Amino acid sequence: MKVAYYPGCASHGIAKDIDIATQLIAKDLDLELMEVDDWNCCGGGFMDDRSEEIHTALNLRNLNNVKKMGLEKMATPCSVCLNSHRIALDKYNNDTVLREKVDERLERANIDYEGGVSAEHFIWVLIRDVGIDNIKKHVKRPLKGIKVGTYYGCQLLRPYRVMGFESPFSPHSVMDLVAATGAEPVAFQMATACCGFPLMGSNPDAGLKLANNVLSSAKNNGAEILVHPCSLCHLQLDVTQLKIKDHFNQDWTLPAIYISQLIGLSFGYTPDELGLGKLAKKYLAERGIS
Amino acid sequence: MKIDEAELGEEKPVSERPGGKPFAREIDYRVGDLFWGKIHIRNSGKMYMLVTSKIPFNWKPLVKDLKLKGKIVDSAGGFLWVQEDEKYINDDVKFLKDYLEKMKNSKKE
Amino acid sequence: MVEEKEITVKIRKYSKANGESWQSYKVKVDRYTQMTEVLRRIKTEQDPSLSYRAACHMAVCGSCSMIINGEPRLACKTLALDIADEKNEVTLQPMGYFETERDLIPDIDEFYDRMHRVKPRLYADDEVLKGDFEPRMTPEDQKEVWKFAQCIWCGLCVSACPSVRIDENFLGPAAHAKGYRFLADSRDTIRDERINILMDSAWRCTSCYMCYEVCPRDIEPVIAIKKTKAYVNDFKKDTPVTVMAKKHDDAVSESIAETGKIKESSLYLKTFGITEAMRDMKYMFEEGKLKYAFSKDNNVKRIDEIKKIMEE
Amino acid sequence: MEKMKYDAVIMGAGLAGLMAANEIASAGYSVAVVSKVFPTRSHSSAAEGGIAAYIPGNSDPNDDPDYMSYDEIKGGDYLVDQDAAELLSSKSGEIVRTLDSWGAPFNRQPDGRIALRYFGGQTYPRTRFVGDKTGMALLHTLYERASGFNIDFYNEWYVIDLLKEKKAAGLVALKMRSLEPIYLTAKAIIIASGGLGMIYKHSTNSYINTGDGYGIALRAGVPLKDPEFVQFHPTGLYPSDILISEAARAEGGILRNNKNERFMEKYAPHKFDLAPRDIVSRSMTIEINEGRGFPGGYLGLDLTHLGRDYIIERLSLAYEAAKTFAGVDATEEMIPVRPAQHYFMGGIDVDITGASPLPGLFAAGEAACVSVHGANRLGSNSLLETLVYGRETGKNVVEFLKKEHDIPDLNPEKSLDDAYKYVKRETGEHFGSILNDLRETMWDNVGIFRDEKKLSKAVSDIKSLRKRAESLYVTDKSNNYNTEFFNALELRNMLDVAYVIAESALNRKESRGAHYRTDFPDRNDDSWLKHTISYLSNEDVRIDYKPVKMTRWKPEVRVY
């Protein structure tokens, strides 16, 4: 199956390991990820703060590029990129005043917007198109005994009216995928709370506090490692993990990895092949996974 | 601005608040005693025509008969709002004149 | 005429004297039965002492906010059979965050204070108030103002907001929607003051879309906050939060305009400065992620399209 | 008990109460507003369709204020005090522009001026609107303005009684959170506590509309005017009775029976679905009774021909209500509707200054009967009345306050003892069963079609309910949001006002506006062109009359 693939800036940058792992498992699952031709940054969480019109137009440009590739579905591993494209499309379809202004900008840029492309999360494609059973068939190394905190964060789920995949109050997609790898999913109270990343550029103390709340909640419920669905959660919970530890003067860490990385481990890839960080590698090594 | 069938008043700038920057300009017009109103032109160039008349009791049920080139955006009682364009406002005013004249004559009979 | 079904309603009862207890009630409902009607039946037919707030039962008065099967909702806008779980059970709890006074009644005075802090009223010109000038507002602007003016003060967004809980300087979603509704109103005269009230707080929102999700009037408070942020360059009273936000935002915009993408490493330097960047690089190194910090991605090829889209 | 003294105290924080408070506070007098709910929860928020206004220069070219008064008078079946109607019409444009200048976001015409649409019973379109949540928009505008003034708000305080001697002296109230009592004395008291829909089994009203203002006034010896006139709105959503705004028909919606017929053609050959509400509600009841309704007893409100975008923009609340509460997509199928109680034309007897027969007591809004609605209110006129007469009453209170007044020194303890007897009792009957029986008998016997037999039954039912209420008791003995206690006190008010309504309806032997007697199907101007003035004294309802004020319009046959 062919799907347009929108990696987003982060997973072509500091969260590159997300891209690496996602590409690896997609290949195993016969999912042909066609990178969106000449894609641009969605501006999610930045551009929409500055100009609704520009933000909407930038996202429609990407969707239009997908259309030109002859595809109708664009998968992204990043919840913020997902939310950004879907919100932009929703506004464009429902806000007639905004639509006119966006059309003007697109016209200026010589973009003939056609419509008919939807943005989806990579997780949705895994569940809806690939199927949990199919994923299970590829599991070569069941992750028995690994206690995985199943984290959803915010923009994958909310707002439901625009996202529409699963209940934002009782989601189970991440749990289902974790279960498919043979690991033990651990639910926790803050599983759908925000990781705090969007605050890092304005009020980082508050951002770190939100991140720590998520990690503590998972840890307190017995999670030994955390999986998440978003490139920006990755920047916040994985890349910034040690900073959080120092900031709150704690004696523990909770390695956070992207969902594709966990699936990749169960498919038999090594932590190095999946680009995992040192904290995760250390924990996995203790559990005999290398 | 020129409309063949109508007498035009002076162009006035209009703003949202006293002393505020104008967001549009308006020109009153009158077509005899048949109908009158104003042309409202936004700074963006968008143009709307208000048609006020004592002849139709209510424009709303007549909207489907009005073969206007502009787009009808609202109607209630003797008020009718049409989104216009300089290109065809002349034709629409002409159409309304004929339409209302016919209505006036049929009422007399 | 309409098929009925029995559900079990479990309610968290609470009083200052007796503390917390859970009580169950069986109620017959049909597909149209609202949770406010369920509560009314329980109160008039089974347990007269049950206390809750409810008034309009059509989602315009904002009285009956509570947590229903784990979701922050208006009871009136929730049909019993839509929300009942597979065991035909519905649990009711008072709204979160606020202190509970009695049963399903929270004390939301704190919420009202938030609303009053944003000067929630129009300050029109004297000439207008005297009736000497007929103010105008385009239908497009009316749409924008009305969208955000529809807040019914129900408190659900604040009760569910993560930033409210950790940051006392954040006004909360509802107050921001209210503030923006006046900021966007062409008839108002205290624009600068409004920007002063709202701007620092706006950048304390974490954009998690929880308020958008739970708002029973679909006013999308987070969108109002984003639209408020767009006025940041008109904000003259810098605060640490807005200074950083401006730097960060400028850096992002520049990066997108130049390359069509966000280049994190340069963005980072521009926002936080060299000292902070070095400190964080140390953490990245320790976690084994520094190698990715310098990964190079292609710029957008048809960059003129991006420039044209972003042009003013 | 704590005692507070104000120049004016207002019961009710809806549009009428807030408008009066605004007027009095602006004049520099001290004012308190007492409400059992936070102001924006008041029932004014549920008003949907709009507010009628003749705005000079922004109205139909054929229209003028006299046509507006005429529409009100004819709509009210000539039981309207014509001076009151003329005042209402003449102030309508100004009040809408005032609310606009205070921030109400009225829908606009393309040139940025306030838009208008048709409503039932209007010769020319006059209704100004904010989507279909006009009441909510106006209430918020007014509350937000008032919150910037020096007004003491007693939110979630419940008024038990009005104390008076020869003059109104004060209100006794309880804080709902703690049962802390307070005696609020004032030179002037305004009752603006809204309507009474909860006495009917099917009502579009809020749960809080329990007729408290009527109850405390009646117990203080103040009469109600024209209490037999209760409006039934044609389009309550089936089965939840949520209001589907008249705006739905104003924007082109059509009522249809189970044969898909536009049946209003038969009953109102000129105005069709936009005939006044009493006529449409009766027509619908006939259709349903004669078997042309849908199973369950409802009719269809067809909007499908209006188009999706139009429906969602102009009728969003109707669309949402049908979708949320009846599972119907109004852009594709008809909305199931049936008549439900909606409004009380009667109320505390006041003149056009808002003054009641008791010196120092004023009333405004639905709580009052200024007689602008007569026997039937037109859509878009309730919001208008709350604002115009809220303000007029406020202005007249300001004039009243300029004179010297002694406040009688009264002891509020007895009111408190009377109330507390429900809590002190250890056995008896809960409020719930009595309330449900009351709502049942009012709906069955004092409804859209009435006759001698039904009304007598209602009177005797209510008498026996009042008997049962003597043993009313409250199980909850706590002092923290003891809502059961307040429900019992509300029931006391409901039983009083229901009794007065039923007796007054039995007394009026004619049909006029919303009061339709199948045993007297015609209007009888010779005997009944007069206002009912009803008192509750001891256990009896005493009825008196007042002439209708006529200025320029003679009664004529009412056809639409």
Side-chain angles (χ1 to χ4, degrees):
Chain A
M1 179 187 172
K2 264 190 205 171
V3 178
Y5 174 62
Y6 180 85
C9 302
S11 47
H12 270 193
I14 302 176
K16 180 74 184 167
D17 47 327
I18 288 185
D19 184 42
I20 293 169
T22 301
Q23 302 270 14
L24 281 179
I25 66 165
K27 209 188 294 157
D28 283 13
L29 294 165
D30 282 332
L31 198 58
E32 206 177 326
L33 298 180
M34 317 279 289
E35 187 166 324
V36 177
D37 172 48
D38 201 34
W39 58 271
N40 56 264
C41 172
C42 70
F46 304 108
M47 223 49 224
D48 48 343
D49 291 351
R50 181 155 286 218
S51 159
E52 220 177 6
E53 294 166 49
I54 296 176
H55 171 256
T56 307
L58 285 174
N59 283 269
L60 293 190
R61 180 183 178 274
N62 285 332
L63 295 176
N64 213 44
N65 288 351
V66 172
K67 185 80 189 177
K68 282 198 225 147
M69 293 161 72
L71 294 170
E72 288 182 345
K73 188 183 286 195
M74 180 184 101
T76 172
C78 174
S79 299
V80 173
C81 298
L82 169 81
N83 179 288
S84 175
H85 283 94
R86 290 184 78 91
I87 289 269
L89 192 56
D90 181 70
K91 281 184 185 164
Y92 182 80
N93 288 336
N94 293 312
D95 183 341
T96 47
V97 179
L98 178 69
R99 190 191 307 161
E100 231 171 82
K101 295 179 188 161
V102 171
D103 281 342
E104 212 183 284
R105 286 182 187 272
L106 290 172
E107 207 174 303
R108 246 195 258 164
N110 240 331
I111 295 168
D112 187 14
Y113 177 69
E114 291 178 60
V117 177
S118 70
E120 295 204 359
H121 197 282
F122 181 62
I123 284 182
W124 302 356
V125 174
L126 285 182
I127 291 175
R128 230 171 1 207
D129 300 324
V130 175
I132 296 280
D133 288 342
N134 197 2
I135 293 171
K136 277 187 189 155
K137 280 184 207 147
H138 289 79
V139 172
K140 298 194 183 98
R141 169 164 64 177
L143 303 172
K144 285 240 154 36
I146 305 288
K147 290 185 179 150
V148 184
T150 49
Y151 180 61
Y152 297 84
C154 35
Q155 301 199 8
L156 168 70
L157 302 171
R158 295 189 292 262
Y160 176 71
R161 186 180 67 75
V162 180
M163 299 299 137
F165 184 74
E166 60 189 325
S167 160
F169 296 100
S170 48
H172 50 80
S173 57
V174 174
M175 192 182 80
D176 294 348
L177 288 169
V178 168
T181 67
E184 183 187 324
V186 176
F188 58 100
Q189 207 200 344
M190 304 295 267
T192 62
C194 174
C195 73
F197 176 81
L199 283 171
M200 295 309 280
S202 58
N203 191 12
D205 281 353
L208 292 175
K209 210 183 274 180
L210 288 175
N212 193 48
N213 286 347
V214 168
L215 295 172
S216 311
S217 168
K219 179 97 183 163
N220 292 340
N221 279 275
E224 292 167 351
I225 188 168
L226 188 81
V227 297
H228 61 76
C230 170
S231 314
L232 301 184
C233 294
H234 203 58
L235 299 186
Q236 182 78 338
L237 301 175
D238 170 35
V239 180
T240 313
Q241 172 93 212
L242 291 168
K243 186 179 185 173
I244 296 169
K245 175 177 178 273
D246 277 4
H247 191 87
F248 293 96
N249 214 355
Q250 273 157 182
D251 60 358
W252 54 267
T253 51
L254 184 70
I257 65 175
Y258 188 75
I259 184 70
S260 303
Q261 296 179 312
L262 186 83
I263 295 171
L265 288 170
S266 75
F267 284 7
Y269 292 103
T270 68
D272 276 331
E273 285 171 314
L274 294 162
L276 294 186
K278 287 184 186 164
L279 289 171
K281 280 198 278 193
K282 180 164 171 280
Y283 165 73
L284 292 166
E286 284 164 11
R287 295 304 172 115
I289 297 167
S290 55
Chain B
M1 173 118 223
K2 196 176 153 290
I3 299 172
D4 297 343
E5 309 282 349
E7 252 174 78
L8 295 186
E10 236 170 82
E11 189 176 294
K12 289 169 298 196
V14 285
S15 40
E16 294 160 314
R17 280 174 43 196
K21 255 202 339 227
F23 73 104
R25 53 209 163 89
E26 292 181 346
I27 307 156
D28 288 335
Y29 75 88
R30 172 171 281 279
V31 180
D33 60 350
L34 276 177
F35 66 103
W36 60 94
K38 65 181 176 187
I39 321 285
H40 173 88
I41 307 158
R42 294 281 176 79
N43 291 350
S44 64
K46 263 195 186 170
M47 186 190 283
Y48 297 92
M49 176 169 64
L50 170 64
V51 184
T52 317
S53 174
K54 286 198 172 203
I55 300 172
F57 191 77
N58 186 6
W59 280 110
K60 202 165 216 110
L62 309 175
V63 161
K64 54 183 185 306
D65 303 336
L66 299 176
K67 306 275 179 283
L68 295 174
K69 290 181 178 160
K71 183 182 158 210
I72 295 172
V73 288
D74 200 3
S75 64
F79 276 14
L80 179 72
W81 276 102
V82 192
Q83 189 176 340
E84 283 292 348
D85 194 299
E86 205 141 357
K87 279 181 267 174
Y88 47 65
I89 190 165
N90 241 327
D91 301 344
D92 280 356
V93 169
K94 176 90 178 56
F95 174 88
L96 285 165
K97 187 182 172 208
D98 294 346
Y99 185 86
L100 288 173
E101 245 160 19
K102 224 182 272 169
M103 188 183 272
K104 189 177 171 185
N105 293 335
S106 72
K107 273 199 180 144
K108 271 188 205 144
E109 279 156 22
Chain C
M1 229 40 69
V2 190
E3 198 191 331
E4 288 198 331
K5 204 171 188 180
E6 189 176 82
I7 59 165
T8 305
V9 184
K10 293 185 170 168
I11 301 179
R12 180 189 184 271
K13 292 193 78 179
Y14 170 84
S15 75
K16 295 234 152 111
N18 302 321
E20 179 191 328
S21 67
W22 283 85
Q23 206 130 335
S24 286
Y25 309 89
K26 300 235 182 269
V27 185
K28 277 211 167 117
V29 299
D30 62 41
R31 58 180 275 232
Y32 301 116
T33 311
Q34 297 163 264
M35 284 310 298
T36 35
E37 175 64 9
V38 168
L39 285 164
R40 194 192 67 78
R41 286 184 199 166
I42 292 173
K43 190 166 176 60
T44 52
E45 292 159 18
Q46 300 185 41
D47 179 1
S49 76
L50 176 66
S51 284
Y52 60 93
R53 290 190 183 105
C56 74
H57 60 79
M58 52 189 275
V60 296
C61 82
S63 300
C64 59
S65 311
M66 55 187 77
I67 297 181
I68 307 177
N69 277 2
E71 302 184 17
R73 284 169 160 272
L74 291 182
C76 70
K77 217 183 165 185
T78 305
L79 298 180
L81 288 182
D82 286 354
I83 196 79
D85 63 15
E86 58 292 343
K87 288 178 287 182
N88 277 322
E89 278 179 8
V90 179
T91 60
L92 301 178
Q93 288 168 268
M95 195 163 32
Y97 175 68
F98 303 107
E99 227 169 275
T100 303
E101 274 285 328
R102 170 74 192 269
D103 297 352
L104 299 170
I105 301 181
D107 173 0
I108 63 167
D109 286 356
E110 186 268 14
F111 172 82
Y112 297 135
D113 291 344
R114 289 172 185 276
M115 298 301 273
H116 291 133
R117 266 154 68 189
V118 300
K119 292 206 154 193
R121 61 194 72 87
L122 190 79
Y123 293 82
D125 293 280
D126 281 346
E127 251 180 277
V128 172
L129 289 169
K130 279 189 223 131
D132 297 339
F133 184 96
E134 188 180 7
R136 308 268 189 118
M137 182 194 253
T138 62
E140 299 90 300
D141 285 354
Q142 188 271 347
K143 245 185 173 174
E144 177 83 348
V145 167
W146 178 226
K147 175 178 175 62
F148 298 105
Q150 290 184 54
C151 168
I152 53 175
W153 301 51
C154 70
L156 284 169
C157 60
V158 168
S159 83
C161 171
S163 292
V164 160
R165 287 171 191 248
I166 59 152
D167 184 352
E168 59 178 20
N169 293 315
F170 179 49
L171 288 162
H176 267 290
K178 184 59 79 185
Y180 175 72
R181 167 251 177 281
F182 288 105
L183 188 56
D185 196 318
S186 56
R187 302 166 300 174
D188 192 52
T189 59
I190 61 161
R191 182 176 180 273
D192 292 349
E193 194 181 342
R194 294 201 187 282
I195 291 173
N196 285 346
I197 294 171
L198 299 170
M199 195 54 67
D200 175 82
S201 171
W203 291 95
R204 294 169 181 274
C205 160
T206 186
S207 309
C208 76
Y209 287 82
M210 185 55 102
C211 53
Y212 189 135
E213 181 64 44
V214 302
C215 176
R217 282 254 66 89
D218 297 331
I219 67 168
E220 305 168 6
V222 60
I223 304 292
I225 295 175
K226 286 175 176 292
K227 288 177 179 218
T228 302
K229 288 177 179 176
Y231 289 75
V232 70
N233 289 326
D234 296 343
F235 180 59
K236 304 296 176 220
K237 287 187 165 181
D238 289 341
T239 70
V241 167
T242 61
V243 168
M244 186 189 278
K246 253 192 244 183
K247 275 191 207 159
H248 187 243
D249 235 41
D250 286 346
V252 173
S253 286
E254 239 171 75
S255 175
I256 297 178
E258 276 167 23
T259 67
K261 288 180 185 171
I262 294 178
K263 306 290 176 169
E264 282 147 342
S265 33
S266 66
L267 173 71
Y268 213 84
L269 266 169
K270 282 177 186 159
T271 309
F272 300 104
I274 184 82
T275 329
E276 187 71 13
M278 291 298 284
R279 199 160 79 99
D280 285 358
M281 272 165 73
K282 185 191 86 155
Y283 289 122
M284 273 183 228
F285 175 73
E286 282 171 17
E287 172 59 352
K289 292 297 172 79
L290 191 60
K291 57 187 173 203
Y292 300 132
F294 302 103
S295 43
K296 284 260 180 289
D297 195 20
N298 303 329
N299 291 353
V300 169
K301 282 184 287 222
R302 300 190 298 276
I303 193 72
D304 55 309
E305 293 181 2
I306 306 294
K307 291 208 162 101
K308 285 268 192 283
I309 284 175
M310 291 180 70
E311 228 165 58
E312 269 327 301
Chain D
M1 184 188 318
E2 200 192 346
K3 185 170 160 179
M4 290 290 287
K5 200 172 157 188
Y6 291 92
D7 291 319
V9 171
I10 300 168
M11 173 185 180
L15 284 173
L18 291 175
M19 198 72 197
N22 178 71
E23 203 61 34
I24 298 166
S26 318
Y29 289 100
S30 68
V31 55
V33 176
V34 198
S35 168
K36 64 180 178 180
V37 293
F38 184 79
T40 59
R41 324 279 180 222
S42 305
H43 187 60
S44 301
S45 69
E48 300 179 6
I51 173 166
Y54 174 80
I55 302 180
N58 186 9
S59 289
D60 190 284
N62 285 304
D63 201 7
D64 73 43
D66 284 349
Y67 279 116
M68 184 167 173
S69 301
Y70 169 75
D71 286 346
E72 288 153 14
I73 291 161
K74 181 182 173 192
D77 220 350
Y78 297 93
L79 197 67
V80 172
D81 280 351
Q82 298 184 0
D83 57 342
E86 287 189 73
L87 181 71
L88 188 74
S89 309
S90 69
K91 302 274 180 185
S92 62
E94 184 203 330
I95 206 87
V96 163
R97 285 195 49 186
T98 299
L99 265 291
D100 184 57
S101 73
W102 292 352
F106 285 106
N107 275 49
R108 302 283 156 165
Q109 302 175 42
D111 66 346
R113 304 193 327 155
I114 297 169
L116 70 175
R117 68 179 166 207
Y118 260 115
F119 239 61
Q122 294 176 349
T123 308
Y124 299 105
R126 295 180 197 108
T127 293
R128 319 289 163 155
F129 55 100
V130 187
D132 56 0
K133 301 185 196 81
T134 313
M136 188 180 115
L138 297 179
L139 180 65
H140 285 221
T141 299
L142 200 46
Y143 170 67
E144 287 164 10
R145 179 175 169 82
S147 72
F149 280 147
N150 193 11
I151 296 171
D152 281 357
F153 280 98
Y154 289 81
N155 297 329
E156 297 195 327
W157 285 72
Y158 183 86
V159 175
I160 309 175
D161 262 326
L162 164 69
L163 299 193
K164 59 116 199 195
E165 228 165 31
K166 287 197 180 87
K167 185 196 163 300
L171 298 174
V172 187
L174 287 171
K175 187 174 190 169
M176 297 173 77
R177 183 176 293 189
S178 60
L179 287 195
E180 171 195 328
I182 199 165
Y183 179 45
L184 299 163
T185 67
K187 292 172 194 161
I189 290 165
I190 304 176
I191 297 180
S193 54
L196 47 62
M198 285 307 283
I199 66 172
Y200 280 92
K201 187 178 174 188
H202 297 295
S203 172
T204 62
N205 284 188
S206 297
Y207 290 123
I208 55 174
N209 288 19
T210 53
D212 298 317
Y214 312 121
I216 67 163
L218 285 168
R219 279 198 303 282
V222 179
L224 301 191
K225 192 201 286 167
D226 296 331
E228 60 272 39
F229 296 96
V230 178
Q231 179 166 81
F232 297 86
H233 196 289
T235 53
L237 183 66
Y238 174 86
S240 50
D241 305 314
I242 286 164
L243 177 65
I244 300 295
S245 170
E246 186 165 311
R249 283 169 289 136
E251 295 289 356
I254 292 169
L255 289 163
R256 297 188 186 280
N257 61 20
N258 67 9
K259 300 194 168 100
N260 210 32
E261 291 163 343
R262 183 183 195 177
F263 58 86
M264 282 311 297
E265 284 174 346
K266 274 187 293 186
Y267 304 97
H270 302 291
K271 283 275 171 184
F272 303 109
D273 305 274
L274 278 181
R277 291 171 180 174
D278 57 329
I279 295 173
V280 180
S281 285
R282 280 196 291 276
S283 311
M284 290 172 72
T285 308
I286 293 169
E287 290 294 307
I288 294 169
N289 289 348
E290 291 181 357
R292 292 186 294 279
F294 294 93
Y298 63 88
L299 295 156
L301 174 61
D302 188 359
L303 307 183
T304 53
H305 54 288
L306 299 179
R308 190 180 177 81
D309 288 347
Y310 196 78
I311 293 173
I312 288 173
E313 195 205 322
R314 288 284 180 100
L315 301 169
S316 60
L317 188 57
Y319 172 78
E320 176 195 307
K323 184 128 205 166
T324 313
F325 305 122
V328 166
D329 182 346
T331 64
E332 283 166 13
E333 21 171 2
M334 295 199 286
I335 303 176
V337 289
R338 68 166 170 214
Q341 190 280 342
H342 182 61
Y343 187 82
F344 187 45
M345 271 75 70
I348 296 167
D349 177 21
V350 296
D351 59 21
I352 58 169
T353 71
S356 80
L358 176 67
L361 181 69
F362 298 78
E366 192 173 346
C369 179
V370 201
S371 292
V372 283
H373 309 309
N376 171 65
R377 176 174 71 73
L378 294 186
S380 300
N381 278 0
S382 67
L383 287 177
L384 180 61
E385 186 209 351
T386 59
L387 295 177
V388 168
Y389 280 97
R391 188 172 63 173
E392 288 302 308
T393 305
K395 277 187 176 150
N396 289 311
V397 165
V398 168
E399 290 309 308
F400 179 87
L401 291 173
K402 286 179 184 163
K403 294 170 222 148
E404 276 303 304
H405 298 284
D406 289 331
I407 306 174
D409 187 18
L410 302 176
N411 183 355
E413 297 294 340
K414 187 182 174 302
S415 286
L416 217 50
D417 290 345
D418 277 357
Y420 270 118
K421 65 176 190 261
Y422 302 129
V423 185
K424 288 194 177 129
R425 221 170 262 146
E426 287 301 329
T427 57
E429 195 170 354
H430 297 157
F431 78 93
S433 52
I434 302 175
L435 174 59
N436 286 344
D437 289 350
L438 174 69
R439 300 176 72 203
E440 199 91 34
T441 190
M442 288 300 286
W443 180 254
D444 290 344
N445 301 311
V446 199
I448 296 169
F449 287 105
R450 306 163 171 187
D451 61 32
E452 171 102 25
K453 202 173 133 215
K454 283 184 179 179
L455 292 167
S456 306
K457 164 105 169 54
V459 168
S460 80
D461 282 355
I462 295 168
K463 279 185 177 164
S464 74
L465 290 170
R466 288 165 70 82
K467 199 99 209 140
R468 274 163 63 189
E470 283 171 15
S471 67
L472 189 62
Y473 102 113
V474 170
T475 61
D476 187 350
K477 309 295 181 199
S478 78
N479 59 9
N480 180 220
Y481 280 109
N482 186 340
T483 54
E484 182 185 0
F485 179 33
F486 295 108
N487 289 147
L489 294 170
E490 287 170 347
L491 177 62
R492 178 170 71 158
N493 293 325
M494 288 192 263
L495 286 167
D496 285 350
V497 68
Y499 186 32
V500 169
I501 291 173
E503 286 276 24
S504 306
L506 181 62
N507 181 61
R508 184 176 283 270
K509 293 178 177 52
E510 66 154 352
S511 290
R512 183 183 296 271
H515 174 67
Y516 194 90
R517 296 267 308 239
T518 50
D519 44 355
F520 301 98
D522 297 321
R523 193 173 83 195
N524 178 350
D525 288 336
D526 294 341
S527 313
W528 289 103
L529 184 53
K530 57 186 178 191
H531 295 299
T532 305
I533 305 294
S534 302
Y535 296 83
L536 183 66
S537 45
N538 298 322
E539 264 310 289
D540 292 314
V541 177
R542 181 167 64 81
I543 292 174
D544 210 340
Y545 302 99
K546 246 188 200 174
V548 176
K549 289 209 182 78
M550 302 282 189
T551 56
R552 291 189 272 165
W553 292 274
K554 294 271 160 293
E556 45 182 66
V557 185
R558 184 170 172 257
V559 285
Y560 284 94

